[in-house]
Amino acid sequence: IIGIQHLTAITLKGFLMIKYFALHPATFKLDGGAMFGIIPKPLWEKQIPSDELNRIHLSLRVLCIQTENRVILVDSGIGDYHDSKFSQRFAIQGGATPLVNTLKEAQIKIEDVTDIVITHLHFDHVGGLGSEAGNFLFPNAKLHLHKSHYDYSLSPTQRDTGSFQTEYFKPVIEQMEKAKRIVWHEGS
């Protein structure tokens, strides 16, 4: 389901109000065998049926955490910059600017976003950061990235190459680094 799931708001000691939203900007499909690894298909297909291409339906969720003075996104979804061949291969459903539109439904403007934490740089987690032209979509946000993972994404193993679309996220990250709006994280 594309849209918003409002999660429980929490008050900590009566001082800080935190709201959590599970944003669903888009859905897509990936190969079921790749997702479940060594688990045999007859076992996983009972719960999650695959289509004729062995793909399973997945939701692209973005966690939004809102406090009195911060709006934090965890990941950014898949974006809308993909060509038709890519969109068909992964059966992407979500429309134009899917994350921006889902934020609007939550009454959050892109200017309100203060931080974006990227868990990892696979295309389905980092695709909503920028436009096709490589422009960062969130004018007031800092971008939080793991430095060694970023370095790895620039020269991954052959097995991982398809998950990283450096031609889209690298210009955005370089733009943010030049503007000194990246917070690099180290360690495990």
Side-chain angles (χ1 to χ4, degrees):
I1 297 173
I2 296 172
I4 306 166
Q5 178 184 2
H6 294 272
L7 304 173
T8 307
I10 298 174
T11 304
L12 301 174
K13 297 185 181 181
F15 295 106
L16 180 64
M17 180 62 91
I18 302 173
K19 295 179 187 175
Y20 297 88
F21 303 91
L23 306 176
H24 301 269
T27 63
F28 76 134
K29 292 182 178 183
L30 285 177
D31 182 79
M35 293 286 86
F36 288 102
I38 63 168
I39 299 170
K41 183 176 181 178
L43 294 179
W44 60 257
E45 194 170 40
K46 290 177 185 177
Q47 298 297 316
I48 303 174
S50 61
D51 66 10
E52 66 282 353
L53 298 175
N54 203 45
R55 301 174 303 179
I56 59 171
H57 188 260
L58 299 167
S59 179
L60 293 156
R61 290 185 182 90
V62 174
L63 178 63
C64 178
I65 305 164
Q66 187 175 27
T67 68
E68 292 176 20
N69 58 2
R70 302 195 84 71
V71 175
I72 303 162
L73 300 180
V74 179
D75 288 332
S76 67
I78 203 162
D80 66 349
Y81 56 81
H82 309 284
D83 63 23
S84 61
K85 182 179 177 182
F86 184 93
S87 295
Q88 289 172 359
R89 179 184 312 134
F90 295 103
I92 299 170
Q93 301 292 312
T97 60
L99 181 56
V100 173
N101 289 333
T102 307
L103 285 167
K104 284 180 189 174
E105 286 181 48
Q107 299 178 344
I108 298 171
K109 297 179 286 210
I110 59 172
E111 294 83 10
D112 297 336
V113 176
T114 58
D115 299 89
I116 302 175
V117 178
I118 299 298
T119 60
H120 60 286
L121 293 163
H122 287 178
F123 67 84
D124 55 321
H125 291 258
V126 74
L129 284 180
S131 67
E132 187 174 359
N135 298 314
F136 190 64
L137 294 176
F138 302 91
N140 300 316
K142 288 187 177 181
L143 183 60
H144 297 257
L145 296 170
H146 195 275
K147 180 67 171 129
S148 61
H149 180 68
Y150 175 69
D151 293 340
Y152 173 77
S153 74
L154 300 178
S155 57
T157 63
Q158 186 176 5
R159 189 186 98 169
D160 289 341
T161 299
S163 296
F164 297 109
Q165 295 184 332
T166 55
E167 67 272 21
Y168 293 110
F169 70 73
K170 187 178 176 192
V172 173
I173 291 171
E174 289 173 345
Q175 174 189 33
M176 293 300 290
E177 185 156 40
K178 189 174 183 179
K180 300 189 184 317
R181 290 176 45 208
I182 291 186
V183 178
W184 292 108
H185 296 271
E186 299 286 344
S188 52

